[in-house]
Amino acid sequence: MESDIPSIASDGSRALLQHVPAPRSKPRSRNGCWTCRGKAAKKRCDETRPICGRCARLGLFCDYRPRPRKSKTSRSSSGRSVTLRQPSTLSPTTSLAPPTEAPCSLSLAQPDHEAIRYFRTAFASLHHTKNQGYSCISIMFNLAQDDPMVMHMALALSFGDMDLRRPASSPESSQRSAYHYSSALRILADAVGREEECEDFDSLLTTLWLMILYEQQFGHSQSQGCSNHLKGAASLLQHRMKKFLQFPAPDHDTDTPTCALTRKSGLDTKPMLSLYSARMLVWISGSDAAAASTGGGGHFNRTLMSLLSEAQTDDSDTNANDPFGPPPLSPLQSYMRMHRYSNSLYRVAWGHTYPQAELLDDLQNRNIYNLLTVCNLLRFMVAELATIPDISSNEFQQQAASVSAAIRNANYTYAELLEVSRELCTETDHSQRLVANIRYIVPTFYAIQLEFLRITQPTSPLGQGSRQRFLLAEIIRLAFQLRSHWGDDGLRKIAWPLFLAGLETDDLLHREWILERLQKMGEMGEHLKRAFLFLKDAISLQQNTSRRVDIRDMMKGYPMFVLN
């Protein structure tokens, strides 16, 4: 009987065992970056966006750009092979193969190519949730191709940011960053110093915004460069842009011509502010409001509000017989009119090549971006309120009432959006742009309210009021969600809300988590490192004195930092 049982050592069983498939390895990543998935590496990607763990650890360019699908081959009814090509939805401007010499006459070396790719991908995803090929960053690169000043700043920021992501700092990368920044400064000084009147503000405003970002992240400990650039932008507004700040009402009957970029407006049109320049004014305004929160800004927004109040009037219900003319708009109304003027930027910039999917996405996100624009002005108003020393004075009370009314109005206007944000959970698809925008814009709106309560109720217990508890809980909840999808890189978008939550919360676990996150983010920029050290000392001081610290007063003894 035993002879009938096949032995394991028999030749037949060996042949059978040879055909047993080996255990399969872990499935390859299908949503990882192309740097890890490419033929050269073939590594498993952890799919962290916008930069995966392996690329961050090795200082590599993390490529999440969409790839065109391979042609599909099917059989027709006649049996022949038929190739089905997938239509491309990307504009030709999204090509990422820069020439050896840029059209702006800059000679580009191989490291510059890498920096340009970083600017158009990783940098773009950090500063804009829109499709990289159709975002403001893409427009900036188009400007950079024609203007060496913008190209220098794009390279300066990219080299600096890439250097921070490497395990060890590269002297060559730091030198390249400093070289491009100083080159852009020289060109900017020449452009601003010319006596002839300049009406092309696209490159000037782009360069100033990029320089403000550069100084925030890599600048001097007193943020003098950031403050100087903001003052320079205010001076540009005051002396050269004043006559261009007249924006039509949203329901204006006349077909007012618009242009995406000034240089493409044509020679036969009257001087006008381009849609892109209007959008850049909003972005610089946001940077100025952020600087004002820690005592380093405010001049740009004060100038902008003054000029807008002079230029804008409420012509929606104009009485021709009124000898005084139409009434002036409020600062918020004037500010929002400028923002709405630029709403058609992307559609006008790309014209008929602009995909309908992008257009619908813009419409879906318009309300959340309106809230972000409101946040810029509200944050500035709260920062201005904090500069009034006596909270019992009539000036403080009047200003506080004005800010409170503006916050209530925003809560009412965007009530549905805020309700949706409360329904989001960690599992909610973050790839939807609206969801991603809610997770970083709504915490900013809540942080503004938290700072307002902190200023107007300085003696109230930390985190004890019902409104304070709600604001803190929502900021922390959305921060958890943001980090679960974007990692600590995503938390950079809400560094300021986290900073304020760390100051206000009485929850030890939340406070420790915020400190850990800011300490980790400190590796991504000097301003974040300074913010962590300041927050750590401020929390300790509040615990010892059982009272809130005055951020602006305490900042006098610490290196300056700006958190967007």
Side-chain angles (χ1 to χ4, degrees):
M1 293 291 293
E2 292 181 1
S3 60
D4 295 332
I5 301 175
S7 170
I8 294 179
S10 66
D11 293 338
S13 62
R14 287 196 188 97
L16 182 64
L17 289 174
Q18 288 174 358
H19 288 83
V20 175
R24 296 186 63 181
S25 59
K26 295 181 179 179
R28 290 184 62 190
S29 169
R30 294 184 179 274
N31 299 315
C33 73
W34 291 102
T35 307
C36 295
R37 295 170 61 190
K39 294 181 179 179
K42 291 186 177 180
K43 300 294 184 181
R44 183 171 177 81
C45 180
D46 62 11
E47 301 181 10
T48 301
R49 291 176 180 261
I51 299 176
C52 73
R54 178 175 175 271
C55 290
R57 186 176 68 256
L58 300 178
L60 300 175
F61 165 65
C62 193
D63 184 3
Y64 273 108
R65 288 171 292 155
R67 292 292 198 273
R69 296 181 180 179
K70 294 182 179 179
S71 301
K72 296 182 179 179
T73 302
S74 63
R75 293 283 177 181
S76 65
S77 57
S78 61
R80 296 179 180 178
S81 296
V82 180
T83 300
L84 304 178
R85 298 188 181 275
Q86 298 293 332
S88 174
T89 59
L90 294 180
S91 165
T93 59
T94 59
S95 173
L96 294 177
T100 304
E101 185 168 322
C104 63
S105 76
L106 285 183
S107 296
L108 302 178
Q110 182 58 37
D112 297 323
H113 297 339
E114 188 74 10
I116 288 173
R117 284 193 291 269
Y118 182 89
F119 180 79
R120 301 183 66 188
T121 53
F123 178 87
S125 64
L126 285 172
H127 295 278
H128 211 298
T129 58
K130 188 171 171 58
N131 184 331
Q132 297 164 6
Y134 298 101
S135 68
C136 265
I137 307 300
S138 181
I139 297 177
M140 288 180 189
F141 179 72
N142 288 338
L143 289 171
Q145 289 181 300
D146 296 325
D147 195 316
M149 177 173 62
V150 181
M151 180 65 80
H152 276 304
M153 275 315 304
L155 292 171
L157 267 171
S158 298
F159 277 120
D161 212 21
M162 290 166 62
D163 191 44
L164 288 175
R165 297 181 181 280
R166 294 189 176 96
S169 179
S170 168
E172 181 184 358
S173 185
S174 300
Q175 291 171 4
R176 284 182 176 274
S177 179
Y179 162 74
H180 286 295
Y181 181 58
S182 60
S183 299
L185 278 174
R186 286 194 296 270
I187 300 174
L188 178 64
D190 291 340
V192 174
R194 293 175 190 149
E195 293 184 0
E196 63 268 18
E197 189 172 359
C198 173
E199 295 175 352
D200 181 3
F201 302 108
D202 300 335
S203 294
L204 289 176
L205 293 175
T206 299
T207 302
L208 283 169
W209 182 75
L210 292 173
M211 285 181 171
I212 291 166
L213 281 185
Y214 184 93
E215 287 290 346
Q216 286 181 8
Q217 196 163 356
F218 313 109
H220 190 269
S221 61
Q222 296 304 317
S223 291
Q224 293 176 351
C226 181
S227 298
N228 289 339
H229 291 322
L230 288 169
K231 291 177 181 177
S235 178
L236 185 68
L237 266 179
Q238 181 71 49
H239 300 292
R240 296 197 178 184
M241 300 182 67
K242 185 176 181 179
K243 66 179 181 180
F244 299 99
L245 297 180
Q246 183 73 43
F247 304 107
D251 56 350
H252 208 271
D253 294 333
T254 60
D255 187 15
T256 306
T258 58
C259 62
L261 296 173
T262 305
R263 64 189 60 181
K264 295 184 179 181
S265 61
L267 299 176
D268 56 342
T269 60
K270 65 178 182 179
M272 60 187 301
L273 192 68
S274 70
L275 301 175
Y276 174 77
S277 288
R279 182 57 56 91
M280 290 312 301
L281 287 179
V282 175
W283 283 26
I284 294 174
S285 170
S287 298
D288 183 72
S293 294
T294 49
H299 191 67
F300 177 84
N301 273 312
R302 281 191 291 271
T303 304
L304 180 62
M305 292 302 107
S306 174
L307 295 178
L308 286 177
S309 298
E310 295 175 9
Q312 306 298 319
T313 55
D314 187 1
D315 47 7
S316 59
D317 187 20
T318 303
N319 184 355
N321 298 322
D322 188 351
F324 300 103
L329 293 175
S330 69
L332 182 56
Q333 288 174 321
S334 301
Y335 191 73
M336 290 305 296
R337 179 176 287 191
M338 179 180 69
H339 170 71
R340 291 191 179 101
Y341 168 77
S342 66
N343 273 341
S344 59
L345 168 63
Y346 306 113
R347 175 174 55 83
V348 176
W350 276 276
H352 67 278
T353 64
Y354 195 54
Q356 288 189 358
E358 291 295 318
L359 180 60
L360 294 175
D361 191 56
D362 290 343
L363 291 174
Q364 185 183 38
N365 285 272
R366 184 154 292 173
N367 214 28
I368 188 67
Y369 278 125
N370 286 342
L371 176 59
L372 178 61
T373 305
V374 170
C375 286
N376 289 346
L377 188 57
L378 288 178
R379 188 173 178 183
F380 165 69
M381 293 170 67
V382 172
E384 289 287 274
L385 179 66
T387 61
I388 304 175
D390 185 5
I391 65 173
S392 62
S393 65
N394 289 334
E395 180 187 8
F396 183 91
Q397 296 300 324
Q398 291 175 1
Q399 183 71 12
S402 176
V403 176
S404 179
I407 291 176
R408 284 198 307 271
N409 183 64
N411 273 302
Y412 174 78
T413 304
Y414 303 101
E416 185 176 11
L417 199 59
L418 299 175
E419 289 175 5
V420 171
S421 75
R422 292 194 285 272
E423 297 296 326
L424 297 182
C425 60
T426 305
E427 290 74 25
T428 307
D429 186 7
H430 193 74
S431 64
Q432 297 184 40
R433 185 173 159 220
L434 178 60
V435 175
N437 284 332
I438 287 175
R439 282 175 171 152
Y440 92 87
I441 293 174
V442 171
T444 301
F445 179 57
Y446 287 151
I448 291 168
Q449 300 179 54
L450 198 61
E451 187 179 26
F452 176 72
L453 293 174
R454 180 182 178 86
I455 294 170
T456 55
Q457 303 173 14
T459 59
S460 62
L462 290 174
Q464 293 300 313
S466 59
R467 186 61 183 171
Q468 289 171 319
R469 285 194 175 280
F470 167 78
L471 296 172
L472 287 168
E474 286 299 295
I475 290 173
I476 296 295
R477 186 179 65 84
L478 291 171
F480 281 158
Q481 295 181 19
L482 194 60
R483 183 172 182 266
S484 68
H485 291 276
W486 268 356
D488 288 324
D489 258 337
L491 291 182
R492 290 170 63 178
K493 289 179 171 291
I494 59 168
W496 182 64
L498 283 177
F499 176 84
L500 277 181
L503 281 174
E504 283 297 304
T505 185
D506 60 346
D507 188 305
L508 181 60
L509 291 178
H510 287 169
R511 186 185 300 156
E512 291 299 322
W513 184 81
I514 291 172
L515 285 172
E516 288 176 4
R517 301 279 62 79
L518 275 176
Q519 185 176 22
K520 180 66 176 177
M521 285 188 284
E523 301 172 1
M524 306 172 194
E526 286 296 322
H527 62 309
L528 293 166
K529 186 183 299 183
R530 296 167 193 160
F532 162 71
L533 295 175
F534 180 94
L535 179 61
K536 185 178 178 181
D537 290 348
I539 290 175
S540 177
L541 183 60
Q542 286 186 158
Q543 290 175 331
N544 293 334
T545 61
S546 299
R547 56 180 299 180
R548 287 181 175 84
V549 298
D550 186 325
I551 296 177
R552 290 155 189 81
D553 187 54
M554 186 174 172
M555 282 291 296
K556 297 175 183 177
Y558 282 79
M560 181 69 73
F561 59 87
V562 177
L563 299 177
N564 288 321

